[in-house]
Amino acid sequence: MPAGAGAPDHTDRGNRDVPVPGGDGGAPRHRVPAQTVGPPVWVGSPAGSLYDYIRVASFSLGPDGRIDRWSERAEEFFGTPAAEAIGKDPVAAFVPDDMWDRAPDYPAGGSGPDSGAGSILDGREWTGLVPYRDARGKEGLAEIYVMPSAAEDGGRGAVCLAVDVAPMRRIETDIASSQAVFGQSPMGFFLFDTQQRLLRVNERFATTFARPVDEYPGMTPHDFLPRVEADRLTAALRQVLETGTPVLDMQLVGTAASQPGRRRWAVSLYRLHSGSGRAIGVAALAVDVTGRQRAEREAANTRRNLALLNEAGARLGNSLDLETTARELLDVAVPHFCDVAAVDLYQALLSGDEAPVGVGDATVALRRVAFGSSVSDGPLSDLGEPCAERVRVGAVHHYPFDSPCSTALRTAQTQTVGVKDGDADGIALGPLVQSTLVVPLLAKDTVLGLVQFSRAKGSEPFGERDRSIAEELAARAAVCIDNARLYRREHERALILQRSLLPPGNPEAAGLDIACRYLPGNTATEVGGDWFDVIELPGHRTALVVGDVMGRGLRAAVAMGELRTAVRTLALLDMEPAEVLTALDEIARGLGTASGAPGDGGTGQSRRGRKEAQGSDQTEVYLATCVYAVYDPVSRRCTFANAGHLPPALLQPGDRALMLDVPPGMPLGVGGEPFEEVEVELADGSLLALYTDGLVESRRHPLEKGLHTLRAALDDPTRPLEDICDRVLGALDTNHGEDDIALLTARVQGLPADSVGDWTLPPQAPSVARARELARARLTEWGLQDLIDTTELLVSELVTNALRHGEGEIRLRLLLDRTLVCEVWDAGLVQPRRRRARDTDEGGRGLQLVSLLSQSWGSRRTPRGKTVWFELDLPDGESSPTDIAEALLSMF
């Protein structure tokens, strides 16, 4: 219709241009109304319609039944120019000659190129199928619609439409498919137009929102979804229309009238196009994923719980420390299971009380040993702890009797704390916490304490499954804590036993300055069997002992105590060092019941490796290494014997430290091999160091490096011994805690010549008087007049016994140090034996008198005979000397 002839304005300002997808830059742009108000209007270019999908052509017939008008679309459709078609029979115009055998008959019965179509102009419509070949040579089948019409002169004519059959069949199939989707699909299917208004929905969608299908056309997302979700869907529809990019599995939440509760749908959107490529709307497919999401959430929770328990199994129990085990529990639980947690253990359990805590006891003090939070660093009470007032880590406290924590301790049952719906008596949990599980730590029917798991507001509250997980975590932690408790108790007992067998402080010895160090292994390792000892021997001699029982734990500590006691007993018998080790070897073999593997004498295999190997069998022979040294301050000689131990270190003035070449021998408990002795003369000021392998050997450095570092640390013998010990421990890696460490250092200071009296007497009777004179004179020089009478009497008794029962020359020696020692030597091998004399006996009371008047006395074998000795305390100016007459009268 020409402009100005009543046609609507084509340039309506309410319209907008929409590009045709897929077209080139010169393609026409459709004018699409922004909104439809009133009746439809003409547009300036073809609008999208069904004709975008099918091929249609038109022509008209005159009164004679011949073509009088031929459209351009018909020329394109049938490949026949208008000049050739006008004036011809319609069928002859577009049916090629070779296809006439497939052409249909006209209603009048004629057929062929010369047949007329006038008979169809009698006012009746005609429809038929005719073959054709278009301009490109493509064959097809067209459906012809002949519609009679009247001309201006009153004649009859016809308007004809030709439609390509193939696209029509496809459209019929698509319509049938669309009907199936909309009518039978179990998923919600709906269409939006370009204005985000619904065009059509299927039955599933309509049923979900409980409205008839015919009510939805024209609705927007805000008519059936919450505002926020509707805004999201509208934005997604606009995005799909503008970009053409589909949106897949967009999650929408809303309520459905057909099902209770909140529902969740996964919606996929994609743009719809006409046959010409124009965007005509958006198709949407919605699937209810509420059940699937719930199942996925349950599966995720299950996986999370399994992972939580797996992590708990991997982390709990790695430490044998109570506090560390409690912290490991919280490291597992926070924040993966809860937001805040705390562990309380009975104070008696932490202090090593033997009495187990009963299930029903909720009045005993507890100590807060661990606290963890992912929301605050404050105590649990600040977050709403239900059981107690402010409790800090390390604080000892009691729970109120009526609190949930006290109930959990009394009943050994988990308590759930939190305000429930409709529960007016619920316990307030503060501004952050919304629910708490109070779980007792129960091991072997014994309550060890409790753990509190809390979740902050905003987190999902605890459920029954969470309760089971909390109880499982607490049960695993309780077993580990109980094991740590039992280990701590055994460790402390072994440590007490071990320390009780060590010399108290720095022991004293004649001619020696002594300093020592003992470092037990950390609580993660068992107590070892290291020991050292300083034993005073007759004649102001001193035995220095360092030993190490292979193995760990209480049994190793007990074995160490037995060997230490045996060493002291053998040393007091004044046996030679090699004889002492031989007797110790027999004792060590008697401590076990099974045969152990022999060691290598301390020269090959790592001693630490032997310890760990031997400690694995509870019935094996106890193996131990030991070095035994005896120092004589008069001769300044030291005799060494070694049983598989590391060699002593020696530093002499003006020289560098070295390791003494002492034959290592076999460890104690192996048996079958003799031990050798080495005698070394030591100068005054020499420094001697005995040690265990824990000092010089660890996993961080080899043994050779440790020995080298030890020699380097002993570089200055003039330093105070305490400083030297600290320097050695500082230079070596002594913080590894893998093994006990024992270090014994001694600086040699021989007895001065004026503190020794040494005489040789002939085996004659006058020697008794001569011995008394020599003793009196030397005691006078020393200013010990208070001891002259007692010393004369006892020297007389010992020299007399040497004349009567001994052999050869008699040697008298007086030694002055911290005490006075008198020794009488002879060549006889028969040891003196004290006996009780009868009242009628004239003799036999000499040794009784020596025992009564001396501090101690004894005898020992020597390489050339024997030595009988006695020891007297030096006068202190306060105590009076022993009354000789009273002592003599007490013998009768």
Side-chain angles (χ1 to χ4, degrees):
M1 183 179 295
D9 185 5
H10 291 181
T11 60
D12 184 3
R13 298 182 183 272
N15 299 336
R16 61 186 175 91
D17 293 334
V18 178
V20 178
D24 55 20
R29 304 173 68 88
H30 296 297
R31 304 283 294 179
V32 181
Q35 58 183 357
T36 303
V37 179
V41 296
W42 292 94
V43 295
S45 57
S49 65
L50 181 64
Y51 300 107
D52 292 335
Y53 300 93
I54 60 176
R55 299 180 67 187
V56 180
S58 65
F59 57 93
S60 62
L61 302 179
D64 56 357
R66 302 287 178 169
I67 298 174
D68 62 356
R69 296 201 176 197
W70 188 255
S71 67
E72 293 179 0
R73 183 67 66 88
E75 182 177 338
E76 178 187 353
F77 195 135
F78 298 108
T80 303
E84 296 180 6
I86 295 177
K88 290 185 178 181
D89 183 271
V91 176
F94 49 78
V95 176
D97 295 341
D98 58 344
M99 301 176 69
W100 267 100
D101 57 339
R102 287 180 282 169
D105 293 338
Y106 282 97
S111 64
D114 298 329
S115 298
S119 61
I120 68 172
L121 302 178
D122 58 357
R124 292 179 300 167
E125 293 184 356
W126 180 85
T127 302
L129 297 175
V130 296
Y132 73 93
R133 183 181 294 115
D134 61 15
R136 292 175 295 180
K138 180 179 178 181
E139 295 183 359
L141 189 64
E143 188 171 15
I144 307 297
Y145 298 89
V146 180
M147 296 167 284
S149 63
E152 293 180 358
D153 57 359
R156 302 288 297 176
V159 177
C160 303
L161 290 178
V163 181
D164 194 357
V165 173
M168 291 292 294
R169 297 293 180 264
R170 288 197 299 269
I171 291 174
E172 290 176 355
T173 302
D174 292 344
I175 292 175
S177 301
S178 175
Q179 293 294 343
V181 170
F182 275 90
Q184 303 172 19
S185 174
M187 296 176 287
F189 193 80
F190 45 107
L191 301 177
F192 288 95
D193 62 13
T194 57
Q195 304 300 317
Q196 293 89 48
R197 290 189 298 263
L198 283 173
L199 293 174
R200 187 177 180 185
V201 300
N202 68 346
E203 290 291 341
R204 177 65 176 174
F205 183 91
T207 303
T208 299
F209 294 97
R211 292 184 182 182
V213 174
D214 55 3
E215 290 187 9
Y216 287 96
M219 286 187 177
T220 65
H222 291 82
D223 295 323
F224 55 88
L225 287 177
R227 183 178 59 83
V228 175
E229 299 298 292
D231 290 342
R232 293 180 58 233
L233 180 57
T234 301
L237 290 170
R238 186 179 301 109
Q239 175 185 345
V240 172
L241 278 172
E242 292 177 354
T243 65
T245 303
V247 173
L248 303 177
D249 289 333
M250 183 178 70
Q251 302 289 313
L252 294 178
V253 179
T255 58
S258 59
Q259 294 175 314
R262 292 170 60 85
R263 312 299 296 177
R264 183 179 292 272
W265 297 280
V267 179
S268 298
L269 307 174
Y270 57 94
R271 190 168 66 180
L272 297 177
H273 304 94
S274 66
S276 62
R278 183 179 63 87
I280 61 174
V282 177
L285 183 66
V287 180
D288 191 337
V289 295
T290 306
R292 185 179 70 186
Q293 186 193 40
R294 185 180 300 113
E296 291 175 352
R297 186 167 58 250
E298 291 292 329
N301 289 337
T302 301
R303 288 192 298 269
R304 182 199 66 182
N305 293 336
L306 290 177
L308 188 69
L309 294 178
N310 182 62
E311 184 181 3
R315 298 188 63 173
L316 293 178
N318 293 329
S319 171
L320 290 174
D321 180 73
L322 293 171
E323 291 83 356
T324 302
T325 302
R327 287 193 297 270
E328 288 174 347
L329 171 61
L330 300 193
D331 291 341
V332 172
V334 179
H336 304 293
F337 177 71
C338 62
D339 300 313
V340 183
V343 178
D344 296 319
L345 297 179
Y346 279 114
Q347 175 66 12
L349 181 134
L350 295 169
S351 61
D353 193 350
E354 295 292 332
V357 180
V359 171
D361 193 353
T363 60
V364 181
L366 295 101
R367 185 196 301 174
R368 176 66 50 84
V369 296
F371 172 80
S373 172
S374 62
V375 297
S376 174
D377 294 331
L380 196 61
S381 60
D382 294 346
L383 306 174
E385 183 177 12
C387 298
E389 297 179 356
R390 181 179 304 230
V391 179
R392 301 276 180 185
V393 173
V396 178
H397 63 95
H398 295 79
Y399 285 119
F401 182 81
D402 57 348
S403 67
C405 295
S406 180
T407 303
L409 293 173
R410 291 195 308 271
T411 63
Q413 299 294 324
T414 301
Q415 304 296 310
T416 303
V417 185
V419 178
K420 302 179 181 179
D421 295 338
D423 183 8
D425 297 330
I427 300 175
L429 291 177
L432 294 179
V433 173
Q434 71 165 342
S435 62
T436 296
L437 290 176
V438 182
V439 187
L441 294 169
L442 188 65
K444 302 176 183 177
D445 297 329
T446 300
V447 174
L448 308 177
L450 58 84
V451 56
Q452 299 180 52
F453 302 105
S454 299
R455 285 183 179 174
K457 293 181 179 179
S459 301
E460 184 178 356
F462 288 115
E464 287 299 322
R465 180 174 299 178
D466 296 321
R467 181 186 179 110
S468 301
I469 295 297
E471 291 175 347
E472 179 64 22
L473 288 175
R476 295 189 181 193
V479 172
C480 297
I481 291 174
D482 191 51
N483 291 338
R485 175 182 68 87
L486 297 176
Y487 170 78
R488 172 181 285 187
R489 184 178 65 183
E490 180 177 351
H491 186 274
E492 290 178 349
R493 289 176 177 177
L495 194 59
I496 291 173
L497 173 62
Q498 186 180 43
R499 288 178 173 173
S500 67
L501 297 176
L502 297 175
N506 290 329
E508 297 180 353
L512 293 175
D513 293 332
I514 297 176
C516 51
R517 293 289 187 274
Y518 175 76
L519 300 178
N522 57 36
T523 56
T525 59
E526 295 185 88
V527 172
D530 295 12
W531 92 91
F532 67 90
D533 206 350
V534 178
I535 307 171
E536 295 186 60
L537 301 178
H540 285 316
R541 294 172 303 131
T542 303
L544 304 176
V545 188
V546 171
D548 187 359
V549 177
M550 298 182 185
R552 300 182 186 279
L554 186 60
R555 298 179 72 250
V558 171
M560 178 269 289
E562 293 177 345
L563 292 178
R564 178 181 180 274
T565 302
V567 169
R568 277 190 160 269
T569 302
L570 296 172
L572 293 178
L573 294 177
D574 215 349
M575 300 172 64
E576 296 297 323
E579 295 177 347
V580 171
L581 294 185
T582 300
L584 279 178
D585 181 61
E586 294 293 333
I587 295 172
R589 283 195 291 169
L591 293 179
T593 58
S595 176
D600 61 359
T603 60
Q605 180 185 0
S606 167
R607 291 163 178 77
R608 189 177 311 284
R610 295 202 308 271
K611 284 186 186 180
E612 295 174 352
Q614 298 297 333
S616 61
D617 187 356
Q618 295 297 318
T619 62
E620 66 184 346
V621 168
Y622 288 93
L623 297 181
T625 62
C626 179
V627 60
Y628 185 87
V630 175
Y631 173 67
D632 186 348
V634 178
S635 64
R636 292 175 174 78
R637 289 183 172 272
C638 189
T639 304
F640 297 90
N642 192 356
H645 203 80
L646 293 172
L650 176 63
L651 175 64
Q652 301 218 57
D655 202 351
R656 302 185 65 180
L658 53 85
M659 296 296 170
L660 289 176
D661 187 14
V662 179
M666 301 299 290
L668 302 177
V670 176
E673 296 292 335
F675 298 96
E676 301 181 38
E677 294 180 357
V678 173
E679 188 176 69
V680 179
E681 185 172 353
L682 305 177
D684 282 350
S686 298
L687 180 64
L688 186 65
L690 283 72
Y691 52 91
T692 56
D693 57 357
L695 177 68
V696 294
E697 183 181 15
S698 75
R699 293 184 177 92
R700 303 180 183 180
H701 58 76
L703 175 62
E704 291 75 12
K705 181 179 179 181
L707 294 175
H708 175 76
T709 305
L710 173 61
R711 291 195 301 269
L714 299 173
D715 57 353
D716 187 2
T718 62
R719 287 173 174 262
L721 282 182
E722 295 293 335
D723 294 347
I724 291 178
C725 290
D726 294 338
R727 179 182 176 86
V728 169
L729 296 180
L732 291 159
D733 181 18
T734 57
N735 296 321
H736 51 72
E738 299 169 5
D739 195 3
D740 294 356
I741 295 174
L743 173 63
L744 176 62
T745 59
R747 178 175 286 118
V748 173
Q749 301 291 343
L751 288 180
D754 57 1
S755 297
V756 179
D758 196 348
W759 305 276
T760 300
L761 304 174
Q764 300 173 1
S767 295
V768 177
R770 177 61 180 166
R772 288 197 298 268
E773 293 174 0
L774 293 172
R776 181 187 305 110
R778 184 52 57 95
L779 291 181
T780 301
E781 294 178 8
W782 289 341
L784 301 177
Q785 287 80 3
D786 293 343
L787 299 180
I788 291 177
D789 294 341
T790 303
T791 303
E792 280 189 297
L793 178 60
L794 298 183
V795 167
S796 177
E797 289 291 337
L798 295 185
V799 173
T800 300
N801 286 341
L803 288 175
R804 292 180 178 179
H805 309 291
E807 300 177 5
E809 291 183 338
I810 300 172
R811 181 182 179 187
L812 173 64
R813 190 166 74 168
L814 295 177
L815 306 176
L816 176 63
D817 193 67
R818 293 177 294 113
T819 59
L820 176 66
V821 175
C822 176
E823 297 177 333
V824 176
W825 306 48
D826 67 80
L829 298 177
V830 178
Q831 295 290 323
R833 182 175 63 86
R834 177 185 174 186
R835 66 184 181 87
R836 181 173 293 279
R838 292 175 294 182
D839 294 343
T840 58
D841 292 342
E842 295 182 358
R845 296 180 178 84
L847 292 182
Q848 293 186 37
L849 183 62
V850 173
S851 177
L852 286 173
L853 296 179
S854 66
Q855 178 67 24
S856 61
W857 77 280
S859 66
R860 68 178 185 275
R861 290 187 177 88
T862 63
R864 298 181 181 180
K866 67 176 181 296
T867 300
V868 182
W869 57 271
F870 67 85
E871 184 175 7
L872 297 176
D873 288 335
L874 299 181
D876 54 7
E878 297 180 1
S879 59
S880 58
T882 304
D883 190 342
I884 298 178
E886 188 69 26
L888 290 174
L889 292 175
S890 65
M891 298 171 59
F892 297 92

